[in-house]
Amino acid sequence: MTEAILLVGGKGTRLRPLTARTPKPMVPAAGVPFLTHQLARARAAGVEHVVLATSYLAEVFEPYFGDGSALGLSLEYVTERDPLGTGGALRNVASRLYSGPDEPVLIFNGDILTGLDIRALVATHTASGADVSLHLTRVADPRAFGLVPTDGDGRVTAFLEKPGAPEEIVTDQINAGAYVFRRSVIDAIPAGRPVSVERETFPGLLAEGAHLQGMVDSTYWLDLGTPQAFVRGSADLVLGRAPSPAVPGRCGERLVLPTASVAAGAKLTAGTVVGEGARVGAGARVTGSALLAGAVVEPGAVVTDSLIGAGARVGARTVLSGVVVGDGAVVGADNELREGVRVWCDAVLPAGAVRFSSDA
Ligand code: GDD
Ligand code: MG
């Protein structure tokens, strides 16, 4: 049986909310909780058993995904009492795996949207006989990631997590957050204490002479770490640029969930999603944005590259660009908010309160 571990815990995931009472993996992207896309892609690649390793609020995942059967998966949940780090989380779920010691186990960071050919990563792993195989991608600025230089055969020569010193920026190849581990390598991670797979396990394995294989793949790849990236990812799912079998509808300029309502003359483009029960008024223009369940965009509003939280309201003629409006918040009519503004959950901005000005 092909199995996978999905890492959805850690400190940052909940403490840096998008909008959001909901933890990030459960915030809808293209109409369904983000995690659904990762689970559905894993299933499509032949994965049957997934262990969700989390360090908080397993109770938000389980009521939604249950035993996984709706996705054709067998799904289990393991919650750490205190976050164990990426490596500690893997070791902590090792007893749930069915694979034999030499069999491959897939591992996914829970905040990545990618078109990775998962079967090809497993095939590379098997063909090379590696202990661990890593999906690598190239980025313009690798500093916020794990840098992974490889030799001419794709064999990993070093693993440098978020290097600070300029001389450590030795490659633009980064760890894309999808691995295949030989099962026995997971069992060998120390138990009962925090371990970082990036800072401890990978460098340790390399020092011991283990075989880490990189597979550079330039398919769609996005780390959803920031709200702006999350909005981008949702739009790319709707547009079909980011492939996922879990998008609930046909890909195109917009995705309007069946219970949403869009007035005649409203214009929805560039991968906009209108969530369950959300409403868009006449003459509104919504571009590349995600309106979560029950959100309201009133007539004449112009919303671009923004995330409008569950039950939030954008007043008539208000202009938003690159903004996150928290769940339940109200931005009154005739406001103008731009790049990077976050309106906290349930906050209320009166009509005509803020305009943006670039003049001196
Ligand atoms: N269960 C559990 N417990 N999961 C954890 C823990 C933990 O203590 N800590 C982190 N995770 C999960 C996160 O939920 C996330 O899905 C994944 O592990 C990676 O953690 P992040 O905190 O998002 O790390 P990052 O984005 O700074 O860096 C990682 O991802 C980059 C690619 O986006 C590293 O793996 C980098 O090397 C990589 O380049
Ligand atoms: Mg991350």
Side-chain angles (χ1 to χ4, degrees), residues 149-328:
T150 49
D151 68 14
D153 300 321
R155 195 164 166 156
V156 174
T157 54
F159 194 104
L160 304 152
E161 182 68 11
K162 305 191 180 86
E167 62 271 19
E168 287 181 310
I169 315 293
V170 293
T171 178
D172 62 354
Q173 289 177 185
I174 60 140
N175 167 24
Y179 323 112
V180 183
F181 272 56
R182 183 198 302 276
R183 192 253 157 94
S184 58
V185 176
I186 299 173
D187 292 327
I189 295 171
R193 68 165 172 87
V195 177
S196 160
V197 92
E198 297 89 350
R199 295 180 193 278
E200 182 174 339
T201 309
F202 291 146
L205 285 167
L206 287 168
E208 289 163 14
H211 180 174
L212 273 62
Q213 186 70 22
M215 186 181 92
V216 184
D217 181 325
S218 54
T219 181
Y220 184 93
W221 186 85
L222 191 64
D223 176 324
L224 301 179
T226 64
Q228 247 36 68
F230 196 93
V231 172
R232 179 76 259 151
S234 177
D236 286 340
L237 282 160
V238 171
L239 290 165
R241 287 185 191 147
S244 164
V247 174
R250 242 183 325 115
C251 289
E253 285 290 311
R254 70 198 64 85
L255 174 67
V256 179
L257 295 203
T259 52
S261 77
V262 178
K267 206 169 163 220
L268 311 174
T269 53
T272 287
V273 55
V274 186
E276 284 162 26
R279 286 187 286 128
V280 182
R285 275 187 289 140
V286 189
T287 308
S289 297
L291 315 185
L292 303 189
V296 177
V297 174
E298 292 185 341
V302 180
V303 178
T304 308
D305 299 338
S306 295
L307 182 63
I308 311 302
R313 179 177 288 268
V314 178
R317 297 169 303 280
T318 278
V319 175
L320 305 180
S321 178
V323 170
V324 175
V325 179
D327 294 348

